[in-house]
Each structure stands twice: as structure tokens, then as C-alpha cells.
């Protein structure tokens, strides 16, 4: 069993879990993910790491309530345990000194972008981050990302906080401006990553995205997470999760993410029925 | 001398129309009377060719004799002396090509049903003795620390033998249960998971420390283990990477690798969705591509999930099917439809990316190829379309490259297998052995167990000289 050392509510439906996993904490790197299972009847889901503390022996993940597993996880609190915690999986985000790098964080992905931005800054890059959310209520870790970056731009879709814009607007302006942007790292909802990649494509700026398909084992065994990148089939769990956003077949990713829509609905209804009875 | 009895005692099975709707074990096993009647047919011949036919050299005539005489604790003890996993082997070993084919009665068509007897004794022990036959043996003076990577048949066998030699053994498993392909791959109706868990528990009870959720290569590397006090490492990580065909439409929704389909069902219990959280798509018309045991398992799972029509699509003919004949017959009895000399050309999807059809070629057989089987050749212009809504690709697996990629000094082949000495499993890397599918590519449970056993002996010999 893996103990939840800390559960923290960040914004509505989004929670932080610090989980005791000393061996994983020693090895985790920015951009990698872990796979959890809540209990005996639970499914395995991947979550990208938001932090790790080797001394404390803990790994931090942030999850948004979407389906049955994330909602069940949200019912757990500090001191509770989950049955399985596996990692670190996937290839860490490639960190090197390039010059100026733009990090785009959409919604709760700020939790996974922050350690990446910090590592890039520590490697000597000038890091400009863009933090975007639907509205003010959904913004968290603004200060964490600001301190991990040289500059931070905040946007909301409705203008309730920061600039009223989608993340692609300041991104495009940065690419048009004087900054010599060497790489863009865009992580968030798949649709946001797609449009970030579309935005950077005309500028020919290398754009790294972190894909989040459905997974089962997370170790290369099943091929559930296959995506098409540059015309080649790749397994996100072992070949990624980071890929060149200009090469990703986004429509295929979106379609495959919807494979179990009906089952997800059925599972959620069953669980909600139980939870309320 | 009594007259030779060539009549093998049949093993009762669930009727096809019943079993096609449940996940309970198909073969029901002998009763004591049936087992003893079958055991009595063994003539206790002087040369016991059966032992040599067994990759782990089980003392077959001896355990059969004890069973015949009704001394079941003794039969179990003899069996477990060489084989830590008899309940598994009694069910999934291809005895017909190993111990039974060389039985002296085989020439006259009446070979002793060794596998069924092995199963009977293992099940009797599980039901009547639990783990009481076992005394933990780990940590003898002079014992060394050994790491075994992967808890499938090769790893479990190597770990059990190494701990019996007196070493301290840590068994690393990437998934959340031990057993490897025995847990995620082979379905409940052919190999019940409580049988596997019972034998895993037995290996643990010997003193093997099983570490689950530990992906070696990510969590820790082989070199780190060797620096960290482990004096030898055995790699038994199998062949877990599924092969796809590389034809158009293969990434449509509803197209699974057999590994994914079987993992969802066996490991994650998707057949009990939504009680269990993991779903699996239930097709109306399911095509399984391939003709091995994994293809048969996938087809029979799809049938049990409630598919109306399940096809085995195989590019050669009945005679070349690589699956065990028993499994082919089980599948046929249950109503699986075999489409021989057929090979997919492409998969066709709807606007939501769901597979709806499969275009196939008819094939014909040409001259034998390097495998000795007649080469399938496309009949030009023979394309036809089958309606399918789930496709399972069961064309084999290759080793997961994770360990090879993260271990300096390990030699691999073009096929991704690890190069190791054929008998002892020694790799070119100091203090590292390997065995099972990681060396041979996808093969059988028992051949992996044999490799684990031989490597354990070689590791022990190496360590005793340290």
C-alpha cells in the first residue's frame, strides 16, 4: 500500500496528492509519469509527476476529477492509502541549454509544467511561461511557476484574471517578437496542445507536447496508448510521453481518447449511484 | 505382467454450450478414482523416457507411483521437488510434445496422461495441505544476494531454485501481481488465477522476497542492482512487446493487440465491468488474427464476453496452426469460426475511428520457408471484405527493450532478444543470466521454466566459487 502523506484541494475538482514512494522519488524526473490503481477493483491510470522529494520519500501528483478513477481518488484524504503506485515511467522531458524556451501550461497541467520550467531554468535557459485557464477560479501554482520562470504571462478565457486570451495569442506574439525562441513546450488539454503546435508551426520552432492517451500497463506491453507521430506508430508509455507536436496525428489521438466514452459513462453512473445510496 | 492398458482416462470438461458463457475452468480435472486408474496404467518402465522429455526433469514415474498407491502427500512432495509450479504446468504445458510423446505407451497410442496426473496432485495438495509442505529455506550461511527480474514462469522457477540453494532472492515484478503471462495472458478458463496465485504464494513461502510495481530499467537499473550488493542477476522479463501488422487502419478504435485484450480481461477483470473499473469493447463480430495459443485464448475470451461471431483469421491452413491441438479443438467446439488461408490487407473505419470492416486477401501455400512450413502467398485479386467491430492481433510478441536499453554491455539480436548461452543462460555481461522468452522469443511456459532452472543451477555454481 502507498500512503497519501498529503491531500490538498487546489481549485474546484483539482487535488494534489503527495504519496509515499521513496524509491520512485529517487528516480523521478520532469515529464515522467506514474501509474496508480486505487484498490483491487480499480483501473490503472497514468498521472504525470508534479514533484518529488527524495528526502521525504514522496512523489506529488495533481489530478482533475474527470472519470470514475479520478473521482474515487478525490474521495481519499491525507492518511489514506492506494494499492498500487508504479514509476517513474516514460522518458523524462529532454532538458538542455538552448537559449529562450517558452513553456505553456493549460489548466491543471501547470503542476507538471512547473518542474519542467524549473529544470530548464536551472540548465541556463531563459524561460518564459504562459499559464492559461478558463477563469480565475481555476488558476493555481501561479507563484510556483513564476519562480520557476524568468517571465510569466497569465491568461484566462473569460478575462476574469490576467489577460483575456487563449494561450496561443501571447505564444504567437512571443514568436513574432524579438525573443529568439528555440523551443516551445506546451502541456495541457490535447486540443490546447494541438493549437499551440499549429501556432508555432509557421515559425518552424520545435514544439514539444506531452500526450495523454488511454493506457493500461504503462510499460510497453499492450499498445493501447499508440499514437501516430510523423507517420509512425509510437507507444506513448515507452516512446513518450513527449513528442514533436508538429508530427502528431491529433485527430487520431482525439478519436482514440474517446474509445470508451459509453463505458466511462456507465462506470461513472454506477459509481455515483453507489456513492449516493 | 498385467496386460497393457492403452485406454487413457478422459478428463471431464464443461460442455461447450455451457462453458462458452462462463469464465470457469473448462477442464474439470480427475477425481481421485480417475487419477488412480490413470496412474495404474503407468508400467513404471526401467528407462523412464518421460523424465528426459520434461524440461525441468520432474520425477514422473515416482510421483505417479505414489499417487497410484494413494500416498498423495508423497506424490506432492516428489512433484514439488523439481517443479515449483505443478498446478500451472499440469494445465498449460504441451505434454503431447514433451513427456507424454516419449512415454513407452505412446507408440501404441496409449501414453499416460502425465499432465492430468500432475494437475490432480497439485490441486490435491492445494486443497488439502495448503503451504504446510513448505519450510522456508532462504538465507543459509554462505548464501548470496540474487536479483531475479520478472515473475513469469522463468523468474518464478529461477527464484524458487535459487532460494532452495540457500541464496537470498529478490524477485522484481513490474505489474501489480506476480506471475507475468500466467496472470495477464492466459485466461481464467484455462488457468484459474487462484491456482497461479497459490503457486506464487508457494514461491514466496520458500523465502523469495517479491517486489511488485517495480519496473527494472526505470525504478532501478541492472547495474545499480549489481552495485547495490546483488551478486548475480537473472533476467526473465519475457517477450511482452506486442507485434502489429503495419497495415492501414491498424490504429482504429476496437483494434487490440492480444496483450491488451487479454490484459484487460485477465489482469484487470474487464469481463466483470462495471464491477471492476477497467472496460473492454465487446464486439458483435470479432476477428482474431493469428493461429497460436494466444489467438485461441483471445477468441475464446471474445466469445465469453458475448460476441455473436468470432473468427480466427489465419494465413496458412489448419495443418500449420501453431496452437496446441487441444486448444484448437476447444475453440472449434465452442463455435469459433476458422478462416484459413486468409490475411488482412487493411482495416476500414467509420467517422468516429471505429473499425467496421476488414479487407482480406485469400492466400495459397507455396514452397516451405525457413520455418519448414509452407509459405503463404497472396492470391492476386482475391480481396474480400468482412464486417468486424473488434479485431485482436495475435501475431506474437518480442522482448520489451527496456532492460536492454538501460543495461550497458548486454548483447541483443536483431529481433530484440538477449544473447545468452543456450544451456546455462549466461549473457555476455558479467554476473548476468537470462532465460525464457527474453532469450528465445515467445515460446512455452515450460521451456521458460527449464531455462530458469538451468540458469539457477549455473548461478549457484558461480556463487559457490565466489
Amino acid at each position: 500500500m502507498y500512503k497519501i502523506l498529503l491531500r490538498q484541494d487546489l481549485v474546484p475538482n483539482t487535488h494534489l496528492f503527495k504519496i509515499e514512494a521513496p524509491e520512485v522519488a529517487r528516480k523521478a524526473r520532469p515529464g515522467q509519469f506514474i501509474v496508480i490503481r486505487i484498490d483491487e477493483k480499480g483501473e490503472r491510470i497514468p498521472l504525470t509527476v508534479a514533484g518529488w522529494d527524495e528526502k521525504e520519500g514522496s512523489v506529488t501528483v495533481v489530478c482533475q476529477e474527470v472519470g470514475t478513477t479520478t473521482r474515487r481518488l478525490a474521495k481519499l484524504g491525507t492518511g489514506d492509502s492506494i494499492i498500487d503506485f508504479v514509476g517513474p515511467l516514460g522518458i523524462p522531458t529532454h532538458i538542455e541549454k538552448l537559449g529562450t524556451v517558452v513553456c505553456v501550461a493549460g489548466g491543471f497541467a501547470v503542476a507538471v509544467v512547473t518542474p519542467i520550467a524549473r529544470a530548464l531554468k536551472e540548465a541556463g535557459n531563459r524561460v518564459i511561461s504562459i499559464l492559461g485557464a478558463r477563469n480565475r477560479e481555476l488558476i493555481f501554482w501561479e507563484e510556483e511557476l513564476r519562480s520557476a520562470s524568468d517571465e510569466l504571462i497569465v491568461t484566462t478565457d473569460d478575462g476574469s484574471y490576467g489577460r483575456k486570451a487563449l494561450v496561443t495569442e501571447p505564444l504567437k506574439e512571443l514568436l513574432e517578437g524579438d525573443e529568439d525562441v528555440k523551443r516551445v513546450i506546451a502541456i495541457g488539454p490535447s486540443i490546447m496542445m494541438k493549437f499551440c503546435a499549429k501556432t508555432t508551426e509557421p515559425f518552424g520552432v520545435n514544439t514539444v507536447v506531452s500526450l495523454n492517451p488511454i493506457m493500461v500497463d504503462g510499460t510497453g506491453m499492450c499498445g493501447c496508448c499508440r499514437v501516430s507521430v510523423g507517420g509512425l506508430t509510437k507507444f506513448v508509455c515507452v516512446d513518450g510521453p513527449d513528442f514533436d507536436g508538429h508530427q502528431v496525428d491529433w485527430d487520431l489521438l482525439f478519436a482514440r481518447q474517446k474509445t470508451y466514452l459509453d463505458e466511462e459513462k456507465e462506470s461513472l453512473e454506477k459509481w455515483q449511484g453507489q456513492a449516493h445510496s | 505382467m498385467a496386460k497393457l492398458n492403452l485406454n487413457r482416462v478422459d478428463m471431464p470438461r464443461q460442455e461447450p454450450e455451457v462453458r462458452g458463457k462462463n469464465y470457469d475452468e473448462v477442464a474439470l480435472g480427475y477425481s481421485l478414482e480417475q487419477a488412480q486408474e490413470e496412474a495404474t496404467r503407468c508400467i513404471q518402465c526401467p528407462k523412464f523416457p518421460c523424465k528426459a522429455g520434461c524440461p525441468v526433469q520432474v520425477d514422473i514415474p515416482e510421483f505417479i507411483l505414489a499417487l497410484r498407491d494413494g500416498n498423495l502427500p508423497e506424490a506432492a512432495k516428489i512433484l514439488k521437488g523439481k517443479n515449483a509450479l505443478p498446478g500451472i504446468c499440469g494445465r498449460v504445458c504441451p505434454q503431447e510434445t514433451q513427456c507424454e510423446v516419449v512415454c513407452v505407451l505412446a507408440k501404441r497410442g496409449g501414453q499416460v496422461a502425465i499432465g492430468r496426473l500432475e494437475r490432480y496432485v497439485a490441486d490435491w495438495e492445494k486443497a488439502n495441505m495448503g503451504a504446510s509442505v513448505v519450510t522456508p529455506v532462504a538465507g543459509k550461511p554462505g548464501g548470496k544476494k540474487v536479483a531475479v527480474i520478472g515473475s513469469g514462469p522463468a523468474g518464478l522457477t529461477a527464484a524458487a531454485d535459487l532460494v532452495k540453494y540457500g541464496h537470498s532472492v529478490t524477485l522484481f515484478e513490474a505489474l501489480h501481481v506476480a506471475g507475468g503471462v500466467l496472470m495477464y495472458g492466459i485466461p481464467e478458463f484455462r488457468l484459474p488465477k487462484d491456482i497461479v496465485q497459490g503457486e506464487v504464494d508457494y514461491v514466496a513461502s520458500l523465502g523469495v522476497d517479491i517486489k511488485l510495481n517495480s519496473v527494472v530499467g526505470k525504478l532501478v537499473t541492472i547495474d545499480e542492482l549489481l552495485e547495490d550488493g546483488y551478486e548475480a542477476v537473472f533476467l526473465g522479463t519475457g517477450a511482452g512487446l506486442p507485434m502489429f501488422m503495419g497495415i492501414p487502419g491498424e490504429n482504429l478504435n476496437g483494434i487490440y493487440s492480444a496483450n491488451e485484450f487479454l490484459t484487460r480481461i485477465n489482469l484487470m477483470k474487464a469481463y466483470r465491468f462495471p464491477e471492476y473499473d477497467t472496460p473492454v469493447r465487446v464486439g458483435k463480430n470479432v476477428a482474431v488474427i493469428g493461429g497460436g495459443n494466444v489467438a485461441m485464448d483471445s477468441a475464446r475470451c471474445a466469445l465469453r464476453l458475448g460476441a455473436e461471431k468470432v473468427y480466427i483469421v489465419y494465413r496458412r491452413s489448419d495443418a500449420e496452426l501453431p496452437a496446441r491441438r487441444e486448444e484448437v479443438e476447444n475453440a472449434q467446439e465452442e463455435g469459433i469460426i476458422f478462416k484459413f488461408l486468409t490475411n488482412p490487407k487493411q482495416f476500414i473505419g467509420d467517422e468516429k475511428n471505429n473499425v467496421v470492416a476488414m479487407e482480406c486477401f485469400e492466400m495459397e501455400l507455396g514452397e516451405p520457408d525457413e520455418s519448414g512450413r509452407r509459405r503463404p502467398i497472396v492470391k492476386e485479386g482475391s480481396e474480400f471484405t468482412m464486417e468486424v467491430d473488434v479485431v485482436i492481433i495475435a501475431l506474437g510478441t518480442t522482448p520489451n527493450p527496456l532492460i536492454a536499453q538501460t543495461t550497458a554491455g548486454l548483447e541483443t539480436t536483431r529481433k530484440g532478444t538477449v544473447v545468452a548461452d543456450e544451456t546455462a543462460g549466461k549473457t555476455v555481461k558479467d554476473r548476468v543470466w537470462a532465460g525464457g522468452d527474453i532469450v528465445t522469443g515467445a515460446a512455452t511456459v515450460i521451456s521458460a521454466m527449464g531455462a530458469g532452472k538451468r540458469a539457477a543451477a549455473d548461478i549457484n555454481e558461480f556463487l559457490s566459487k565466489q
Side-chain angles (χ1 to χ4, degrees), chain B residues 107-432:
Chain B
K107 284 180 215 112
R108 300 168 64 178
Q111 62 272 28
V112 175
I114 299 167
R116 296 172 185 173
L117 295 178
E118 179 179 35
R119 168 186 165 145
Y120 179 79
V121 172
D123 289 0
W124 180 89
E125 189 202 8
K126 185 170 190 286
N128 295 282
M129 303 189 73
S132 62
V133 208
V134 181
T135 33
V137 286
K140 280 184 197 158
K144 306 278 169 53
K145 258 177 91 177
V146 184
V148 174
I149 321 300
S151 67
L156 283 172
T157 304
D161 277 16
L162 284 162
V163 86
K164 285 184 189 170
Y165 287 129
H167 303 295
S168 303
V169 181
T170 307
L171 180 54
F172 294 86
E173 167 55 46
L175 291 173
H176 57 258
V177 292
V181 72
L182 305 167
M183 278 294 189
Y184 74 74
I186 304 177
E188 179 78 18
F189 57 80
R190 199 152 75 81
L191 179 62
K193 299 310 139 204
D194 70 325
I195 298 286
V196 181
Q197 192 58 51
E199 301 200 336
V200 168
D201 291 346
Y202 164 74
V203 172
S205 74
L206 292 171
V208 172
D209 179 19
I210 302 179
K211 277 173 69 85
L212 302 174
N213 292 330
S214 299
V215 183
V216 173
K218 288 288 180 190
L219 188 66
V220 63
T221 65
I222 300 298
D223 288 304
E224 285 167 342
L225 290 172
L226 289 169
E227 285 158 24
D228 197 33
Y230 289 96
E231 298 195 37
V233 175
F234 174 76
L235 305 176
T237 50
L241 208 67
M243 295 207 275
F244 286 94
M245 304 185 75
I247 62 175
E250 206 164 21
N251 293 334
L252 290 167
N253 298 354
I255 301 188
Y256 292 96
S257 72
N259 261 8
E260 180 185 354
F261 188 70
L262 293 172
T263 297
R264 284 179 178 272
I265 293 169
N266 300 321
L267 182 71
M268 306 309 298
K269 308 266 181 280
Y271 65 93
R272 290 167 70 179
F273 177 85
E275 181 197 351
Y276 282 73
D277 290 342
T278 304
V280 66
R281 189 169 278 200
V282 180
K284 265 198 186 121
N285 298 300
V286 179
V288 179
I289 318 297
N293 289 321
V294 173
M296 301 304 139
D297 286 345
S298 302
R300 296 170 71 197
C301 279
L303 185 82
R304 283 161 175 76
L305 284 175
E308 286 169 17
K309 283 189 176 145
V310 182
Y311 303 93
I312 291 272
V313 175
Y314 181 55
R315 60 186 186 147
R316 290 183 162 102
S317 72
D318 190 12
E320 288 84 18
L321 277 174
R324 286 182 80 185
R325 200 30 62 175
E326 184 184 323
E327 300 308 330
V328 174
E329 284 163 6
N330 276 328
Q332 281 167 335
E333 281 176 17
E334 289 169 15
I336 307 293
I337 305 157
F338 284 71
K339 290 194 81 75
F340 295 114
L341 295 165
T342 304
N343 208 28
K345 181 187 180 191
Q346 63 168 326
F347 302 104
I348 298 152
D350 65 9
E351 71 290 345
K352 287 184 172 167
N353 199 55
N354 292 310
V355 65
V356 292
M358 176 169 85
E359 191 181 7
C360 297
F361 286 118
E362 286 178 27
M363 311 291 283
E364 55 195 349
L365 294 179
E367 294 301 307
D369 61 15
E370 61 272 26
S371 75
R373 295 176 302 174
R374 294 177 64 191
R375 184 193 303 275
I377 302 164
V378 169
K379 270 198 212 169
E380 288 307 330
S382 66
E383 288 94 330
F384 68 99
T385 301
M386 291 171 68
E387 254 182 59
V388 290
D389 51 3
V390 165
V391 175
I392 300 152
I393 301 183
L395 293 173
T397 51
T398 56
N400 191 318
L402 194 52
I403 288 192
Q405 280 167 0
T406 54
T407 310
L410 212 54
E411 196 183 323
T412 53
T413 66
R414 203 165 38 84
K415 288 180 175 169
T417 52
V418 168
V419 176
D421 163 48
E422 245 175 62
T423 47
K426 183 72 187 63
T427 70
V428 296
K429 186 176 172 70
D430 189 33
R431 296 189 288 157
V432 177

Side-chain angles (χ1 to χ4, degrees), chain A:
Chain A
M1 296 295 273
Y2 300 81
K3 197 173 166 190
I4 298 170
L5 299 174
L6 176 71
R7 173 237 167 88
Q8 198 185 356
D9 296 328
L10 297 168
V11 294
N13 297 326
T14 303
H15 319 281
L16 174 150
F17 294 91
K18 191 188 266 192
I19 294 166
E20 188 173 40
E23 289 170 305
V24 183
R26 268 204 294 278
K27 280 297 180 79
R29 294 292 173 269
Q32 286 188 296
F33 66 94
I34 51 94
V35 163
I36 65 153
R37 197 170 66 122
I38 294 176
D39 59 24
E40 207 46 56
K41 293 184 176 176
E43 63 180 338
R44 294 169 65 101
I45 62 157
L47 295 169
T48 309
V49 296
W52 50 92
D53 184 333
E54 207 182 317
K55 245 194 227 155
E56 191 185 45
S58 70
V59 175
T60 298
V61 290
V62 169
C63 99
Q64 190 177 35
E65 293 180 50
V66 191
T68 304
T69 302
T70 46
R71 287 187 205 208
R72 287 178 60 204
L73 186 62
K75 292 279 174 206
L76 302 180
T78 304
D80 289 336
S81 294
I82 55 172
I83 194 168
D84 294 304
F85 187 92
V86 196
L89 300 171
I91 300 169
T93 298
H94 187 67
I95 304 290
E96 62 178 321
K97 187 177 173 182
L98 292 157
T100 299
V101 179
V102 176
C103 292
V104 186
F108 79 105
V110 63
V112 305
V113 170
T114 300
I116 294 171
R118 188 177 296 122
L120 285 164
K121 193 177 170 188
E122 281 167 6
N125 293 289
R126 171 171 159 73
V127 177
I128 304 172
S129 293
I130 302 170
L131 167 58
R134 284 208 314 277
N135 57 52
R136 176 179 200 140
E137 208 191 4
L138 297 176
I139 299 244
F140 65 92
W141 279 24
E142 181 186 351
E143 286 319 308
E144 280 85 346
L145 184 56
R146 192 185 305 282
S147 73
S149 316
D150 293 280
E151 214 181 302
L152 178 72
I153 301 160
V154 181
T155 69
T156 52
D157 296 4
D158 66 356
S160 54
Y161 188 67
R163 182 171 160 190
K164 182 179 188 307
L166 297 174
V167 290
T168 44
E169 286 177 43
L171 176 61
K172 184 158 182 268
E173 289 161 17
L174 283 169
L175 295 166
E176 286 167 341
D178 299 333
E179 297 278 358
D180 182 16
V181 179
K182 296 289 190 197
R183 179 171 294 164
V184 172
I185 295 177
I187 307 178
S190 298
I191 191 76
M192 181 213 91
M193 295 194 282
K194 173 184 171 174
F195 282 102
C196 286
K198 294 280 168 228
T199 303
T200 60
E201 205 164 10
F203 297 92
V205 175
N206 174 240
T207 300
V208 176
V209 294
S210 176
L211 302 184
N212 51 355
I214 300 170
M215 287 188 188
V216 184
D217 64 288
T219 64
M221 199 180 92
C222 80
C224 176
C225 65
R226 59 198 194 273
V227 291
S228 177
V229 181
L232 298 173
T233 294
K234 299 279 180 188
F235 289 6
V236 172
C237 66
V238 288
D239 300 321
D242 289 0
F243 291 98
D244 179 345
H246 298 152
Q247 303 289 322
V248 171
D249 180 341
W250 293 100
D251 291 340
L252 180 69
L253 176 72
F254 299 150
R256 287 187 63 82
Q257 283 170 333
K258 293 184 187 126
T259 303
Y260 296 103
L261 274 190
D262 293 344
E263 289 84 355
E264 283 162 9
K265 195 163 160 259
E266 183 186 350
S267 170
L268 199 55
E269 278 165 6
K270 178 195 152 261
W271 179 76
Q272 282 170 330
Q274 282 174 352
H276 295 149
S277 64

